[in-house]
């Protein structure tokens, strides 16, 4: 099993350009997430998905869009890149853990990251 | 919204026990506490997760007091390879507005 993979590993964009980051997982996980990590800081949740065809906003969603057309893939799009979006982007996936009828989260498995520079 | 506070950095020596404390005063009833480890240029890796009291696995222990307003990750007998950033994470149920908050992380340096 490859776990969580991310494409591409590195990318340099010019301001205003668009791009899509691809995340794929082969663990049949329901939940997938996109985070960004700025130098010396923790991870911040951009968007997440609780299942195929569903997405939701996280802590810092502005400037990003996502799609979950297939269970194993979670795409992060930048329509018009800005220098403030220079960061390392991590994708993660997790299983569904429930306590009775209350959904909880479980261990997240992270990809290797995509280093994006916007000039 | 359960925000977390951790020490920015810690130093230790090989073979010592390291305890990293995380404060989460506003933790909600259904929140779990999870710790992740991150090496440079890699994604975080799960270490341990707990809800209350004590949890132990093959690499660490997690101590959570009764009020759950803090937690302590304990790493027994650290080695040089334990040098990394450790994140305390408090997670809320994902049935409505999902909030998954990473702390700022504690940079642990293990010296020979």
């Amino acid at each position: 099993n490859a776990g969580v993979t991310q494409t591409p590993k590195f990318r340099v964009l010019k301001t205003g350009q668009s791009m899509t980051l691809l995340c794929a997982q082969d663990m049949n996980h329901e939940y997938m997430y996109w985070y960004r990590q700025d130098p010396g800081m923790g991870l911040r949740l951009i968007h997440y998905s609780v299942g195929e065809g569903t997405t939701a906003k996280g802590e810092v969603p502005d400037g990003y869009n996502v799609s979950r057309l297939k269970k194993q893939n979670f795409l992060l799009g930048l329509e018009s890149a800005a220098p403030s979006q220079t960061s390392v982007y991590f994708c993660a996936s997790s299983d569904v853990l429930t306590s009775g009828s209350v959904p909880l989260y479980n261990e997240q498995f992270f990809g290797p990251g995509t280093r994006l520079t916007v000039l | 919204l359960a925000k977390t506070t951790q020490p920015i950095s810690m130093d230790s020596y090989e073979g010592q026990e390291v305890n990293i404390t995380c404060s989460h005063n506003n933790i909600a009833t259904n929140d779990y506490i999870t710790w992740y480890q991150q090496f440079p240029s890699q994604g975080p890796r799960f270490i341990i997760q707990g809800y209350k009291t004590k949890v132990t696995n093959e690499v660490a222990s997690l101590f959570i007091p009764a009020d759950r307003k803090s937690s302590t990750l304990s790493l027994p007998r650290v080695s040089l390879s334990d040098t990394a950033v450790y994140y305390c994470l408090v997670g809320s149920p994902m049935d409505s507005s999902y909030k998954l908050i990473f702390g700022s992380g504690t940079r642990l340096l293990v010296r020979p």
Side-chain angles (χ1 to χ4, degrees), chain A residues 17 26 33 44-46 48 50 56 67 69 71 74 81 86-89 93-94 99 106 108:
Chain A
Q17 288 185 318
D26 60 3
Y33 320 81
R44 292 185 291 172
L45 183 65
I46 304 172
Y48 66 98
V50 300
S67 64
L69 298 179
K71 185 177 183 178
F74 196 27
T86 293
S87 189
V88 179
Y89 291 85
S93 70
S94 71
S99 175
N106 206 340
Q108 292 190 25

Side-chain angles (χ1 to χ4, degrees), chain A residues 86-109:
Chain A
T86 293
S87 189
V88 179
Y89 291 85
F90 289 102
C91 175
S93 70
S94 71
D95 228 340
V96 177
L97 176 68
T98 59
S99 175
S101 61
V102 177
L104 304 172
Y105 79 99
N106 206 340
E107 173 184 355
Q108 292 190 25
F109 295 83

